Amino acid sequence: MAQTTTLKQFEAIFPKLVEDVLDHAKTYNLPAEFVDWFKAVSIVCSL
Amino acid sequence: MSVPDSVSMLREAPLSEQEYFESATLGWMTELLQAFFLVSDDIMDTSITRRGQPCWYRQPHVGMIAINDAFMLEAAIYILLKKYFRSHVAYVDLMELFHEITFQTELGQLCDLITAPEDKVNLDNFSLGKYEFIVVYKTAWYSFYLPVALALYHQNIATPKNLKQAEEILIPLGTYFQVQDDYLDNFGLPEHIGKIGTDILDNKCSWLVNKALEIVTPEQR
């Protein structure tokens, strides 16, 4: 039987993905100020 | 959310933690693609609010930085795709799918911008044919077809035949959704649709005006 996902379950995945993307940005020694900006932008998509 | 749901239906079983994570990641990449489009569209349309909040570019500290932010949201899709699907057999297919859907959506946006410029509305430009093109390309491909196509590729069972079948079901479904949305913008009750529709006031190229233009007499026009 297939199981449908819940919004809560789906949203629980998002913070990890944000961290992954930010970690990638950090490999370029992006200063913290800009990491925070990118984080704020990423979160826009989950609103 | 329709990516994990589609994958679970294709497998006819609940997903393992790993499968759920991967399919939800593909779902979130679809959300990133949507965020990239919406942030950009709001700038092009000089929109005021989105999801009940001021548009991203209207935040006082943001402004035109939002253009670069939109590009970065798009780039994030491919960072995640590489991180989690680099060794997936369908990696190239998944990447090509995101690129193609992006291009299709941009075609829809082009047609929308040219047909219904915000500042000078010319009803002679409107037609149900153009309306349908805009809806299919600007909305239906990425929000209806993409999640199911991603699920098929993720399960490594995508074939030209089942992708075509998905298209034949999902593109009309997406069109139906948008037509209904346009109809409810005017005729839906605010307490049901959660907003006060302003499509007519805003001269939007909606289904209603196109349908009206199709049936009016020259005098009524």
Side-chain angles (χ1 to χ4, degrees):
Chain A
M1 271 288 282
Q3 202 167 50
T4 50
T5 185
T6 63
L7 183 60
K8 206 174 153 205
Q9 217 181 357
F10 186 66
E11 285 184 332
I13 304 294
F14 189 64
K16 164 83 178 115
L17 302 178
V18 173
E19 286 313 308
D20 290 335
V21 173
L22 297 179
D23 284 346
H24 184 65
K26 286 177 200 161
T27 63
Y28 297 111
N29 298 318
L30 185 69
E33 186 189 345
F34 308 121
V35 175
D36 292 342
W37 179 279
F38 195 18
K39 185 169 186 172
V41 174
S42 310
I43 286 165
V44 164
C45 107
S46 69
L47 296 177
Chain B
M1 284 167 66
S2 45
V3 184
D5 283 350
S6 301
V7 171
S8 182
M9 279 184 229
L10 290 168
R11 294 186 54 88
E12 297 178 345
L15 302 180
S16 70
E17 199 174 323
Q18 174 69 7
E19 283 173 326
Y20 183 79
F21 178 80
E22 286 184 10
S23 57
T25 298
L26 291 169
W28 276 110
M29 285 155 57
T30 305
E31 290 290 332
L32 283 163
L33 186 67
Q34 158 148 286
F36 156 56
F37 294 143
L38 298 185
V39 168
S40 315
D41 288 6
D42 285 342
I43 300 170
M44 294 182 239
D45 301 342
T46 55
S47 303
I48 309 294
T49 59
R50 164 76 62 188
R51 298 171 182 168
Q53 297 226 35
C55 296
W56 178 244
Y57 83 98
R58 307 255 316 170
Q59 302 283 346
H61 59 295
V62 178
M64 289 305 127
I65 300 171
I67 299 174
N68 194 61
D69 291 340
F71 297 158
M72 291 180 75
L73 288 166
E74 187 189 22
I77 297 168
Y78 301 98
I79 295 170
L80 293 172
L81 189 65
K82 187 172 176 186
K83 181 167 169 83
Y84 291 110
F85 301 96
R86 180 75 179 75
S87 58
H88 193 289
V89 280
Y91 180 59
V92 173
D93 291 315
L94 289 164
M95 184 157 34
E96 286 183 351
L97 179 64
F98 272 106
H99 282 139
E100 200 58 30
I101 296 287
T102 304
F103 180 61
Q104 288 171 302
T105 308
E106 288 163 355
L107 288 178
Q109 175 70 351
L110 172 67
C111 189
D112 192 16
L113 290 167
I114 305 251
T115 305
E118 165 113 347
D119 47 340
K120 52 173 180 0
V121 178
N122 178 0
L123 294 182
D124 295 338
N125 275 338
F126 286 18
S127 74
L128 272 176
K130 275 187 199 166
Y131 172 80
E132 194 191 325
F133 181 90
I134 294 167
V135 168
V136 168
Y137 282 82
K138 199 180 156 174
T139 309
W141 282 110
Y142 90 82
S143 46
F144 286 80
Y145 172 81
L146 177 62
V148 175
L150 288 172
L152 289 167
Y153 280 121
H154 179 258
Q155 289 301 299
N156 206 23
I157 53 171
T159 62
K161 191 170 169 234
N162 62 22
L163 289 169
K164 191 73 195 161
Q165 194 178 18
E167 175 189 330
E168 281 166 5
I169 296 166
L170 294 159
I171 299 302
L173 189 64
T175 309
Y176 172 74
F177 164 83
Q178 190 60 52
V179 170
Q180 179 174 256
D181 194 61
D182 286 359
Y183 176 85
L184 291 175
D185 183 85
N186 188 50
F187 296 112
L189 298 170
E191 54 267 40
H192 290 161
I193 63 172
K195 62 176 179 186
I196 297 168
T198 56
D199 281 0
I200 296 175
L201 275 174
D202 295 343
N203 292 314
K204 290 274 175 64
C205 182
S206 101
W207 183 82
L208 289 172
V209 65
N210 282 294
K211 192 69 193 167
L213 288 169
E214 192 185 60
I215 59 180
V216 287
T217 62
E219 300 79 61
Q220 287 173 322
R221 192 182 171 97

